[in-house]
Amino acid sequence: MTERRAPDLADTLPCHEGLEAHVLSLIAPAVASMGYEIVRVRLSGKDRPTLQIMAERADGAPVSLDDCEAISHTVSAILDVEDPIKSTYTLEVSSPGIDRPLTRAKDWVRWAGHVARIELAVPLEGRKRFSGTVLGLEGGAAKLRLEDGGEVALPLERIRSARLVLTDALIEATRPGQPRN
């Protein structure tokens, strides 16, 4: 019989670097204890940066405005004490939406069968942009069936951005009440 274990917090976190990784490390335990998973932390803008926290419910239910407000209050309290961002910034908490970013290893398994667009930080075989059907995850690489029928394995550490493409199949799969992959 295979032993099943509860996912470790690290299994549910996106891979970030620098200040975004630091913010993630500060807020992730509290957000997880509230029943949410962080999909992305992004700091963008120059004059008055925006700190975007993208989160989803761990139980798979749709994220409500009340959920975003609860996360915002918790994150604000932590960041006010820890003060990792030295300038004035705007905090924005949102759900990932239907055409969500793929930021965690588990996203490549969960969204297998759906179309995604990927941009690499470092070219693979002379190419940085890929589009195709997500096939899953294998050995630290996202597997993709390209539009020409070929397959490619994209190392997760080389992915700059990845996002699902809005299709009828994706809309149907994300309707409330549909089973999660």
Side-chain angles (χ1 to χ4, degrees):
M1 187 166 152
T2 303
E3 180 183 339
R4 297 192 65 134
R5 65 176 178 86
D8 186 313
L9 180 59
D11 295 339
T12 65
L13 295 177
C15 182
H16 288 313
E17 296 178 346
L19 182 56
E20 291 166 345
H22 181 58
V23 169
L24 179 64
S25 72
L26 294 173
I27 66 173
V31 172
S33 73
M34 297 169 64
Y36 303 99
E37 294 180 1
I38 296 174
V39 175
R40 180 171 70 193
V41 173
R42 177 179 281 169
L43 186 62
S44 61
K46 298 209 188 290
D47 294 332
R48 183 177 174 105
T50 297
L51 177 63
Q52 179 196 53
I53 308 295
M54 196 176 281
E56 64 186 355
R57 292 175 56 111
D59 64 8
V63 174
S64 70
L65 186 57
D66 290 340
D67 292 321
C68 291
E69 186 177 358
I71 295 167
S72 180
H73 286 302
T74 298
V75 167
S76 288
I78 293 167
L79 297 180
D80 284 349
V81 170
E82 298 294 333
D83 198 24
I85 303 168
K86 300 306 177 196
S87 64
T88 303
Y89 63 93
T90 300
L91 176 63
E92 174 187 293
V93 176
S94 66
S95 74
I98 293 174
D99 54 345
R100 61 181 297 128
L102 303 172
T103 61
R104 305 166 296 179
K106 73 181 217 161
D107 292 337
W108 296 96
V109 175
R110 178 178 175 197
W111 297 105
H114 294 283
V115 178
R117 285 196 180 104
I118 297 93
E119 181 178 341
L120 301 179
V122 176
L124 179 69
E125 298 173 11
R127 232 176 124 174
K128 287 181 93 172
R129 291 187 179 88
F130 296 84
S131 182
T133 303
V134 175
L135 298 177
L137 184 70
E138 185 177 293
K143 299 275 296 193
L144 200 67
R145 180 176 299 112
L146 302 173
E147 294 167 347
D148 67 6
E151 293 183 9
V152 65
L154 305 172
L156 294 181
E157 68 273 2
R158 290 171 80 171
I159 296 175
R160 172 175 289 154
S161 66
R163 138 171 263 100
L164 291 175
V165 174
L166 189 60
T167 63
D168 290 341
L170 181 59
I171 291 168
E172 184 60 32
T174 56
R175 284 190 198 282
Q178 294 298 314
R180 291 175 69 176
N181 291 357

